[in-house]
Amino acid sequence: MSSSARSSSVAAQAADRAAPAPRSGDGPAWGRALAWIALVAVLAWAVKLVVEGSLDLMVYNMGAQWVAHPATRAQPLYDLEFPVPWGGPDTLPFTYPPFAALLFGLLAWIPFDLTRFLLLGLDIIGAVVLGRGLLAVAERRGRPLPWTRALGSSASLALITALILFCGPWIRTISLGQVNILLFALIFLDLVRRTDGTGSRLENAVAFIPRGVLIGIAAGIKLTPLAFGLIFLMGKNFKAILAMGVTFAATVGLGFLVLYQDSIQFWTDAVSSSDRVGSIKYIDNTALTGVLIKTGVPADAVDPIRYVLVLIMLIAVAVALPLLLHRGMTLSAISMNALVMLFMSPISWSHHQVYYPVIAVALFTEAFPHVLRGGFRLPAQIMAWIWLVGAYIGPMRGLWIVDLFGVHLHAAETIWVIPYLVLFVLLLTWSAAVVVAARRDRRAGSGAPARAV
């Protein structure tokens, strides 16, 4: 980030910290009671899903046991096949890098039932911390979320935690026992944490870690977080890019040091085998590949069209990011970068979109008040609502809903990919609106940024 942009951001953060605290609830007591009931109900549902599911966590555990007990290894790590619990010929491979296998190996001596609930506990903590942060951001922006003033701080936190946990990406992550939420936490903390001693206890505890390191660790577990180097690049934060790269290289090196042959297999073969992850035609694929093929694009035309769309998206977001960072719109910058990562990947399952709450609050507190104005506002509002509702339900729950009405599978797949097609168009619209807003501000002679996170 340039010195001028950085000084503007620091000034905006100082203004944020001076913002008034949320008022206590002045609405009816039954409203606050319903908020807590909603949270209890979602937590109970999450426990049920964890007990009945945790399929991906079973695969992680397979890799963990393989790493922890060398004497029992009958085949290479990336040749392992985990039989699915429902029987039949289907099996699931271990798809994460060797560094991730080493981390999972630390859990090998913990009973699996305890592991699944430890993961659920971390997911719940993540939802609470994120909910509190998003409520604070909305309050500081002068755009408190609609129910905040009526419910008060405690009940508002209970409700937003319930809403986060029950949204499509988060509840499916919990059901599968995936690590998406933990990776999101590392990435989000790395990008928004304050390092000047004025942050929360968590921020102060990790303030000594150079920015970029936590994303480098996340990338060592799952490669896609490397895409967040774009936000560092466009913000001219080259130290963070270096820190991210060195940390990621260290995770790769550790994998080679401990699991040399398996690292060779992963980096020369398994890493490029998309069929190990699943089919791009599966209903839950919300990447551009899934959007295109489920809206009728022939399979052999998907990649050529995708490459063009990814290029357009990269250029649009790359132009918008420095403008957003200069205006202090950190949530919007994170949201756009996350969507680039999710859309450009050959396969992005709906549960990978755990950035859903951040994108929603970024639209409400930053985009619509300051950027998506004039001719952009109405179409953007329509697209935002289609995405908000559709992605909150999610393709897997949506498939169950439309099946109740006898909707054919192919029609159902098209219906539930529409929110993600709309989101892609919204991303391009959002990027264009940022450029227009920046030009409008220059013409008006206003260089004042919006408040930062």
Side-chain angles (χ1 to χ4, degrees):
M1 185 184 295
S2 66
S3 59
S4 61
R6 188 179 295 111
S7 62
S8 296
S9 179
V10 169
Q13 289 177 11
D16 270 355
R17 291 193 285 272
R23 298 183 300 182
S24 58
D26 54 10
W30 60 262
R32 294 190 291 275
L34 284 178
W36 286 102
I37 291 172
L39 178 59
V40 171
V42 170
L43 292 177
W45 184 250
V47 170
K48 177 180 182 294
L49 292 177
V50 165
V51 171
E52 296 176 351
S54 303
L55 176 60
D56 285 4
L57 188 59
M58 294 177 189
V59 179
Y60 303 158
N61 186 61
M62 173 187 68
Q65 298 299 330
W66 184 94
V67 169
H69 303 99
T72 64
R73 297 175 188 171
Q75 55 185 326
L77 174 61
Y78 295 99
D79 289 343
L80 294 180
E81 295 183 346
F82 179 78
V84 295
W86 52 82
D90 294 336
T91 58
L92 297 173
F94 188 87
T95 60
Y96 283 19
F99 175 71
L102 294 176
L103 289 182
F104 297 148
L106 300 176
L107 302 173
W109 290 275
I110 301 177
F112 180 74
D113 285 338
L114 178 58
T115 301
R116 70 169 94 190
F117 283 105
L118 284 174
L119 180 58
L120 174 60
L122 290 173
D123 291 343
I124 293 170
I125 291 171
V128 172
V129 173
L130 177 61
R132 179 178 294 172
L134 294 178
L135 285 171
V137 168
E139 188 72 26
R140 290 164 183 168
R141 295 284 191 189
R143 293 270 292 176
L145 301 182
W147 61 82
T148 306
R149 296 298 171 86
L151 295 180
S153 57
S154 296
S156 292
L157 180 57
L159 182 57
I160 196 171
T161 300
L163 290 172
I164 290 172
L165 288 172
F166 198 62
C167 76
W170 280 64
I171 200 66
R172 182 142 178 84
T173 288
I174 290 170
S175 174
L176 292 171
Q178 261 277 358
V179 293
N180 302 318
I181 294 171
L182 301 187
L183 298 180
F184 160 76
L186 285 174
I187 294 166
F188 194 67
L189 179 61
D190 205 352
L191 292 170
V192 304
R193 63 195 170 101
R194 295 194 290 264
T195 57
D196 58 0
T198 63
S200 64
R201 291 181 182 178
L202 178 60
E203 289 174 295
N204 292 336
V206 298
F208 69 95
I209 301 175
R211 200 174 300 277
V213 169
L214 298 181
I215 293 179
I217 294 173
I221 299 171
K222 191 173 188 177
L223 303 180
T224 50
L226 288 173
F228 281 94
L230 180 64
I231 202 171
F232 292 142
L233 178 63
M234 302 316 298
K236 298 182 180 180
N237 193 340
F238 301 114
K239 289 183 179 179
I241 294 175
L242 179 62
M244 181 185 73
V246 169
T247 303
F248 173 68
T251 69
V252 176
L254 183 60
F256 273 98
L257 184 65
V258 182
L259 301 172
Y260 180 77
Q261 291 297 333
D262 300 285
S263 293
I264 292 290
Q265 182 183 5
F266 178 81
W267 292 108
T268 61
D269 178 39
V271 68
S272 59
S273 299
S274 58
D275 58 337
R276 292 175 60 87
V277 181
S279 171
I280 65 170
K281 299 179 181 179
Y282 188 52
I283 187 174
D284 207 35
N285 181 18
T286 58
L288 274 176
T289 53
V291 170
L292 291 171
I293 203 162
K294 289 195 285 284
T295 50
V297 174
D300 57 355
V302 166
D303 277 343
I305 295 175
R306 177 171 73 100
Y307 295 146
V308 173
L309 292 178
V310 166
L311 180 60
I312 293 171
M313 175 179 66
L314 281 171
I315 294 172
V317 172
V319 172
L321 281 178
L323 300 174
L324 289 169
L325 294 172
H326 177 71
R327 293 168 66 95
M329 294 185 177
T330 312
L331 288 187
S332 295
I334 293 172
S335 299
M336 286 192 180
N337 202 151
L339 291 175
V340 166
M341 174 186 70
L342 294 167
F343 278 126
M344 72 185 298
S345 177
I347 292 178
S348 290
W349 306 129
S350 66
H351 54 271
H352 293 156
Q353 298 212 9
V354 289
Y355 301 85
Y356 177 97
V358 175
I359 300 169
V361 173
L363 287 168
F364 182 74
T365 62
E366 295 178 355
F368 281 108
H370 306 292
V371 174
L372 291 168
R373 299 161 61 182
F376 290 110
R377 180 175 292 275
L378 181 58
Q381 285 177 332
I382 295 172
M383 288 187 285
W385 276 111
I386 292 173
W387 166 71
L388 280 167
V389 175
Y392 195 92
I393 296 171
M396 303 308 291
R397 286 193 296 199
L399 182 62
W400 176 81
I401 291 172
V402 297
D403 187 58
L404 296 176
F405 298 93
V407 177
H408 191 274
L409 177 61
H410 294 306
E413 290 177 337
T414 302
I415 290 171
W416 293 107
V417 80
I418 288 174
Y420 304 95
L421 173 61
V422 167
L423 178 61
F424 181 76
V425 178
L426 177 60
L427 173 61
L428 298 183
T429 304
W430 193 354
S431 301
V434 170
V435 176
V436 172
R439 291 177 178 174
R440 182 178 61 239
D441 288 347
R442 283 197 294 269
R443 287 196 302 267
S446 172
R451 294 176 182 174
V453 174

